[in-house]
Amino acid sequence: MRDHHPAKNHPGVSENHPGVGQGVYLYAVTPAGENGTAGESVESAERPPDLRGVMGGVVRPVPRGGLVAHVSDVPLDRFGEEPLRRSLEDLDWVEGVARAHHRVVEALAAAGPTAPVRLVTVYTGEEQVRDLLDLRHDDFTEILSRVAGRREWGVKAYLRRDTPPPSPAPAATAAGGGDSPGMAYLRRKKESLRGREDLWRAAAERAELLHAELGQIAVASRRHRPQDPQLSGRSESMVLNGAYLVDPAREEEFAAVLGGYRDRFLDVELTGPWAPYSFTSIDLGAGRAGGVR
């Protein structure tokens, strides 16, 4: 969703001075403490001390209406719209920014309910951040209430590489005493494809059952797109990439379910706990990788 007041909510980079000055990089939003009401300072104990973010910037709170945005300064000659487009093509640069972003979010999430925002969400000043907290106050409040006291766990299920396909049924011989060499080859090829399809179907059905059972324990669940081997770091095909918001009291029960699905079809992997990225999504009007508002 994009707002229709660009001068206020999406100021962008100054048309007179494109790419000049400091931007404000937003990491996450948290509830304010007792002293964090609108117009008041937030106690330093409410966030980890000496927390540094992207490009080593000191993370500071911006309070508004019972919420706190956590931000740091970044140069617009690297994070302005045009420079950012070029920077996003540098995978090493993107990885460094992502690591710094996640490090801040994880530190905040360890201290209390946290609503992370999209990577590389940059504003031209704190006033725009306060406008955001005003505009989306109810959305952030609802999200923070949902994730309070809960953690995100990831479950990935892979098709076992060493699983033999189901044995094909005996094929009928051709009239006249058997297949020709060419027909025999085609028949074996067809049986092999059918075996792989059957294996995939069985694994996918097991993954669906696993996701449903985990979803009954979790407060909320999401299915993400399966990762390709470059991202997963594994050569096996991924058939489930799930995220689950779980109460701590049920985490052991949640983990125990996985044992029943590690079989000849699936290899199941538990990851986490993570900050609740999958359950705090708010559309702030950005593109895929954030950008200047």
Side-chain angles (χ1 to χ4, degrees), residues 77-93:
D77 61 0
R78 293 300 305 272
F79 288 84
E81 290 187 33
E82 288 302 324
L84 183 59
R85 288 193 183 97
R86 295 191 296 271
S87 295
L88 290 174
E89 297 176 359
D90 182 346
L91 296 183
D92 290 337
W93 184 88

Side-chain angles (χ1 to χ4, degrees), residues 4-264:
H4 299 289
H5 306 284
K8 181 176 182 181
N9 295 317
H10 296 282
V13 181
S14 168
E15 293 181 0
N16 296 324
H17 303 284
V20 174
Q22 296 289 316
V24 177
Y25 187 110
L26 175 61
Y27 300 91
V29 174
T30 64
E34 294 181 359
N35 296 323
T37 54
E40 298 179 356
S41 63
V42 180
E43 296 291 335
S44 60
E46 293 176 6
R47 62 186 175 87
D50 302 323
L51 187 59
R52 291 185 176 270
V54 172
M55 300 187 70
V58 177
V59 178
R60 66 183 184 277
V62 177
R64 185 74 155 200
L67 299 172
V68 180
H70 298 267
V71 307
S72 68
D73 292 329
V74 290
L76 288 179
D77 61 0
R78 293 300 305 272
F79 288 84
E81 290 187 33
E82 288 302 324
L84 183 59
R85 288 193 183 97
R86 295 191 296 271
S87 295
L88 290 174
E89 297 176 359
D90 182 346
L91 296 183
D92 290 337
W93 184 88
V94 172
E95 182 179 1
V97 170
R99 288 183 182 276
H101 180 102
H102 297 323
R103 184 170 60 247
V104 172
V105 170
E106 293 292 337
L108 294 170
T114 300
V117 301
R118 191 187 299 267
L119 190 69
V120 194
T121 298
V122 181
Y123 291 82
T124 56
E126 287 190 6
E127 193 57 38
Q128 281 72 41
V129 176
R130 294 188 184 94
D131 286 345
L132 169 69
L133 296 183
D134 285 339
L135 182 67
R136 310 307 295 271
H137 178 276
D138 291 348
D139 294 329
F140 279 119
T141 299
E142 179 183 353
I143 284 173
L144 291 168
S145 175
R146 183 194 313 151
V147 302
R150 295 162 175 155
R151 302 192 292 182
E152 177 174 331
W153 292 88
V155 174
K156 295 177 171 60
Y158 301 86
L159 179 65
R160 281 195 179 276
R161 184 171 47 187
D162 56 353
T163 302
S167 300
T173 59
D179 291 342
S180 66
M183 289 298 295
Y185 169 80
L186 292 175
R187 177 172 54 79
R188 289 194 300 270
K189 189 74 173 177
K190 184 176 181 180
E191 290 170 353
S192 176
L193 290 173
R194 185 186 301 120
R196 285 198 292 272
E197 290 171 358
D198 289 343
L199 179 58
W200 259 99
R201 188 178 300 110
E205 290 174 355
R206 293 285 288 161
E208 288 291 338
L209 292 173
L210 172 59
H211 178 67
E213 188 168 349
L214 293 175
Q216 292 177 349
I217 298 173
V219 174
S221 61
R222 299 281 186 276
R223 284 195 76 158
H224 298 304
R225 180 177 300 177
Q227 296 173 332
D228 63 35
Q230 285 186 328
L231 288 176
S232 69
R234 297 184 54 158
S235 60
E236 303 96 326
S237 298
M238 184 182 292
V239 292
L240 174 64
N241 184 14
Y244 307 88
L245 189 65
V246 185
D247 282 321
R250 304 197 70 181
E251 287 180 347
E252 288 189 12
E253 178 187 1
F254 179 88
V257 170
L258 305 185
Y261 287 86
R262 292 186 175 104
D263 53 23
R264 76 185 190 94

